[in-house]
Amino acid sequence: MQIIFFGGTFDPIHLGHLAIAKRVVERFPFSRVLFAPSYIPPHKNFTSLSSFQDRFRMTELAISGMENLEVSAIEHEREKSSYTLDTLRILRERFPGKTISFLIGSDSLMQLHSWHECASLVREFPVIVYPRSGVHPEREELRKFWPEEETEKLLSVVLKDVPLFPVSSTSIKAMYRSGQGSEAEKFLPESVAAYIREKGLYRPETQV
Ligand code: ATP
C-alpha cells in the first residue's frame, strides 16, 4: 500500500485537484491519496488565505464518498507551519512498512528546488508529478537547480499520457471576486460551491 501525500492550500479545492488524485490512484495500484491542506503555507503569501477550518471542510466535502481519497489535518497538528519533509517523516513513522510518496503539479516541480531541504526530500521520498497546462518541465531549467541525477529522476516521474486540467484556485477566486460566482462554480464540486455560498467566502467586496 502506497500513501500519496497531496499537500496544498486548497483555497478552494477544485475539480482539477480531484481529477488529478483520481488519475493517480488509478495509475498506482493499492494507493490512496491523502489530501493535506496546509496550515500556513511556507511558499505562499497567505495574507488572504481562507481559514484552515474552511479549507479543511471544503476538502472533506469534495472527496466525500470517493474511494481511496482521504483528508488529513496533519499540517495543523503542531499549530505551526511545517515543511513537507517534516510531515512526510511523521507519516513514515506513523505508517511503518508503507511507501510514503508525494504528489505535486508540474508548476510546483519547477519550484521544488526552493523547498526546505529539497535534496533530502527527493532522496527520501518518491515524488509523482502531474503535468499542468502551460508548464512543461524542461531539462535545462531543472539543471539550473538540480544535479544531473536528480534532474533525470524528476523528469522521469512526470506522468505521461494523462489529461490536463486547466484550472487553478487563483482563477476561481478571481471569478468570485469579480462577481462571476456562477462561472467559478463550474470548476468546483457542488458541495464545495454550496459551502462557499453558505459561508460567503471569496465575496466580491473581500480584498485580495
Ligand atoms: P493557486 O492558484 O493558488 O496556485 P492551485 O490551483 O495551484 O492554487 P494548490 O492548492 O496550491 O492549488 O495546489 C496543490 C497542488 O496541486 C500543487 O502541487 C499544484 O501544483 C497542484 N495542482 C493544482 N491544480 C492543478 C492542475 N490544474 N493541474 C496540475 N496540478 C495542479
Side-chain angles (χ1 to χ4, degrees):
M1 166 65 84
Q2 173 172 200
I3 297 175
I4 302 171
F5 176 87
F6 190 21
T9 44
F10 302 119
D11 189 24
I13 186 164
H14 52 64
L15 292 177
H17 293 126
L18 289 179
I20 290 162
K22 280 193 239 166
R23 287 281 162 170
V24 166
V25 290
E26 278 167 22
R27 189 60 75 94
F28 295 88
F30 310 110
S31 67
R32 57 188 162 112
V33 169
L34 200 62
F35 286 75
S38 52
Y39 181 50
I40 298 172
H43 295 283
K44 296 213 175 192
N45 168 3
F46 50 82
T47 48
S48 63
L49 195 68
S50 303
S51 71
F52 176 84
Q53 285 71 18
D54 282 334
R55 293 180 293 114
F56 184 86
R57 184 65 190 138
M58 287 190 280
T59 308
E60 248 181 355
L61 289 167
I63 65 162
S64 164
M66 290 188 184
E67 225 178 323
N68 297 321
L69 306 189
E70 289 172 31
V71 57
S72 164
I74 190 164
E75 296 287 20
H76 192 24
E77 284 173 13
R78 285 178 300 163
E79 296 285 331
K80 61 174 181 136
S81 162
S82 60
Y83 294 110
T84 301
L85 179 61
D86 301 332
T87 305
L88 295 179
R89 283 175 174 165
I90 293 171
L91 286 174
R92 187 169 57 193
E93 273 173 29
R94 222 172 259 185
F95 299 101
K98 296 207 166 42
T99 301
I100 311 290
S101 56
F102 68 107
L103 169 63
I104 54 175
S106 55
D107 56 317
S108 302
L109 170 65
M110 301 317 288
Q111 300 302 323
L112 194 59
H113 59 271
S114 65
W115 291 25
H116 176 71
E117 288 194 45
C118 60
S120 304
L121 184 61
V122 301
R123 193 178 53 244
E124 288 183 35
F125 297 95
V127 52
I128 300 166
V129 179
Y130 202 99
R132 192 164 191 174
S133 336
V135 189
H136 304 289
E138 302 286 352
R139 178 173 280 103
E140 303 75 60
E141 199 52 33
L142 288 169
R143 278 294 278 127
K144 290 182 190 161
F145 307 104
W146 296 94
E148 192 165 348
E149 197 181 327
E150 276 78 5
T151 298
E152 294 310 320
K153 184 170 158 182
L154 291 171
L155 286 170
S156 74
V157 294
V158 181
L159 294 180
K160 289 169 194 71
D161 304 320
V162 287
L164 300 180
F165 303 104
V167 49
S168 74
S169 300
T170 303
S171 62
I172 290 169
K173 279 186 282 205
M175 287 177 212
Y176 274 113
R177 286 181 171 140
S178 61
Q180 295 175 283
S182 52
E183 190 57 29
E185 289 186 358
K186 293 181 187 161
F187 300 97
L188 299 170
E190 174 44 38
S191 54
V192 172
Y195 184 88
I196 291 171
R197 283 196 299 272
E198 183 195 321
K199 293 280 177 169
L201 302 180
Y202 319 123
R203 282 188 303 261
E205 66 269 26
T206 332
Q207 291 307 304
V208 181

